[in-house]
Amino acid sequence: GMRLWSEERRLGTIELLLTMPVTIPQALLGKFIASWLFIGIALALTFPVIITVNWLGDPDNGVIAAGYVGSLLLGGAYLALACMTSAVTRNQVVSFILALLLCMALILVGFEPITNMLGRWASPAVVEAVAGFSVLTHFDGFQKGVLDSRDLLYFLSVIGFELFATGVIV
């Protein structure tokens, strides 16, 4: 994701891209969907593991399917964030570091030691609101095999907001 827009700016091909008969949202969605499809193919290539587990035992395939849906949505959220950081900078290494820090922040705001530390200074409502931004709290349901509409809405809204921010930056 870090090369999506930073290389376009560094090489000067963004001007050529933006003079083509495509709009910025079309270019943005095209790049994002192609990258997200790559993540989906990478997840699909782990399918032999499912076959092996089913051959050797009797797993709950609903939990496995929910895990795959959650992983695809989590990958899309991280990819959209990396796309946004790529639009901010010209250097793909700086974009990678920014994306890594922001993805880590999305994980850590829901990490129990962090929420406990925050609970010493803030009210429980503030701690719960901050923890609600974490991908951990929303991915947990997918790990248990639950496809909750709140979790789906969270990931889709994170993707939508980050793609909107990328469009504004570009």
Side-chain angles (χ1 to χ4, degrees):
M2 60 197 171
R3 290 187 66 181
L4 286 177
W5 294 101
S6 60
E7 285 294 303
E8 296 276 353
R9 286 180 184 231
R10 189 178 68 81
L11 296 174
T13 56
I14 193 164
E15 289 85 7
L16 178 65
L17 177 66
L18 296 179
T19 58
M20 297 277 184
V22 294
T23 63
I24 292 175
Q26 289 173 339
L28 182 72
L29 283 176
K31 284 178 172 266
F32 175 75
I33 289 173
S35 301
W36 203 12
L37 184 64
F38 183 76
I39 291 174
I41 291 171
L43 278 173
L45 289 175
T46 65
F47 192 74
V49 174
I50 298 170
I51 295 171
T52 304
V53 169
N54 277 300
W55 180 280
L56 296 175
D58 188 29
D60 186 359
N61 287 321
V63 173
I64 294 172
Y68 271 96
V69 170
S71 297
L72 187 63
L73 289 171
L74 181 66
Y78 285 161
L79 180 64
L81 194 136
C83 185
M84 183 180 68
T85 61
S86 178
V88 170
T89 181
R90 290 177 178 260
N91 191 336
Q92 63 182 344
V93 175
V94 173
S95 171
F96 170 72
I97 293 170
L98 281 174
L100 185 68
L101 289 174
L102 290 174
C103 289
M104 182 76 87
L106 279 178
I107 292 171
L108 289 179
V109 294
F111 194 51
E112 190 172 342
I114 302 295
T115 57
N116 290 341
M117 183 179 65
L118 184 61
R120 294 180 195 151
W121 298 299
S123 69
V126 172
V127 173
E128 190 172 323
V130 169
F133 285 107
S134 174
V135 295
L136 286 179
T137 57
H138 294 283
F139 190 72
D140 190 42
F142 291 112
Q143 289 177 331
K144 295 176 182 174
V146 178
L147 291 176
D148 191 3
S149 61
R150 292 175 294 179
D151 298 334
L152 291 170
L153 184 64
Y154 167 78
F155 282 111
L156 293 176
S157 64
V158 166
I159 291 169
F161 173 75
E162 290 167 356
L163 289 178
F164 172 76
T166 304
V168 169
I169 292 167
V170 170

